[in-house]
Amino acid sequence: MALSGEQRAFLAQVRAFIPRAEAAGVPGAVMVAQAAVESNWGRSGLARLGRALFGVKATPQWPGPVYCGTTREWTSRGPVVISGTHRVYASYHDAVAAGCPPGALFRAYAGLEDNVADYLAVFHRSARFRPALDAYARTRDPRRFAREIARAGYATAPWYGAVLVAFMERHLPDLLPPRLVVRWNGVSLPDGAVRWEEGRVYVRLRVLAGMLGLRVHYDPSSRTVLVTEGEP
């Protein structure tokens, strides 16, 4: 389905910040994808009232305004809906005093410039995102960065990384490096099983062994990887 004029304008607005994202070590493609996915193309209440596109949760330490919005989070027991008032409050503490559940509070901003600056800073403030930043510095692959921040818990949805990758491949192909495809006897290894890094090709051993009908076992006592015949 073709993008609407409103969606194209949204992408153009956020794409203008790509040089700033890349300078901060964050792939511009991921920034644009997260802005669209998290804000529903700028249509969400958080985007309209809180001028926030990236869905960053507020904590008691957040010094700015907050938006209290209904959100769905995924737990080990399945999805949980947290209801909000769909209002902006001057502070986190004002929102909690008004009866807003902490899990429904998001950072709000004066404008998009402030939002982008804080979004980029989030990745550098938290050690859990360091692997994503380091991987992007080495590989320049936005797909890898998206999977890493999903693994680090940027969002609770288990398929978050896949959603970002699919969005980028559909709407931002010009910002992505070509996929590396490895075929074994005419069969392509699945996405995520192959990685190109610093001029070298890395293949996940378990995936390749499975295609060859081999079994992989790791012995932690001897720190040895055993490859034997038989189904994995």
Side-chain angles (χ1 to χ4, degrees):
M1 182 181 297
L3 294 178
S4 67
E6 179 187 25
Q7 289 172 319
R8 289 194 298 272
F10 178 86
L11 290 183
Q13 180 186 30
V14 183
R15 285 179 72 119
F17 290 93
I18 286 177
R20 183 180 299 186
E22 296 289 348
V26 175
V30 172
M31 178 190 67
V32 177
Q34 286 193 280
V37 169
E38 293 285 349
S39 74
N40 187 25
W41 298 92
R43 302 173 186 139
S44 70
L46 177 59
R48 291 183 291 102
L49 301 178
R51 298 181 179 86
L53 301 180
F54 303 100
V56 179
K57 289 287 186 70
T59 63
Q61 290 73 40
W62 171 245
V66 300
Y67 175 79
C68 179
T70 298
T71 181
R72 177 176 299 196
E73 307 291 342
W74 275 260
T75 70
S76 58
R77 298 186 298 275
V80 174
V81 174
I82 306 174
S83 298
T85 61
H86 305 284
R87 291 179 54 191
V88 175
Y89 297 85
S91 70
Y92 178 97
H93 300 288
D94 286 349
V96 171
C100 293
L105 299 182
F106 296 84
R107 297 182 186 183
Y109 304 87
L112 185 54
E113 291 264 353
D114 292 342
N115 184 197
V116 170
D118 187 57
Y119 160 79
L120 297 175
V122 162
F123 295 111
H124 292 275
R125 290 193 194 110
S126 177
R128 63 188 172 125
F129 294 123
R130 175 50 55 184
L133 293 169
D134 290 345
Y136 186 59
R138 293 193 310 270
T139 68
R140 310 306 295 175
D141 185 359
R143 301 180 185 93
R144 174 81 179 274
F145 187 91
R147 296 188 185 99
E148 290 288 350
I149 65 172
R151 187 176 297 116
Y154 188 99
T156 57
W159 50 82
Y160 188 69
V163 167
L164 294 180
V165 171
F167 184 97
M168 292 187 290
E169 292 183 341
R170 181 173 183 180
H171 300 296
L172 308 167
D174 60 305
L175 300 179
L176 299 178
R179 278 189 178 278
L180 181 65
V181 178
V182 173
R183 293 187 174 91
W184 183 270
N185 290 334
V187 179
S188 298
L189 270 66
D191 180 35
V194 183
R195 189 173 84 242
W196 173 271
E197 189 169 310
E198 296 180 349
R200 297 182 179 181
V201 177
Y202 296 86
V203 178
R204 292 188 183 279
L205 180 60
R206 289 187 185 277
V207 175
L208 183 58
M211 296 180 70
L212 299 176
L214 303 175
R215 181 176 182 179
V216 177
H217 174 69
Y218 176 64
D219 180 5
S221 62
S222 62
R223 301 185 65 182
T224 302
V225 176
L226 305 173
V227 182
T228 58
E229 294 184 356
E231 291 298 321

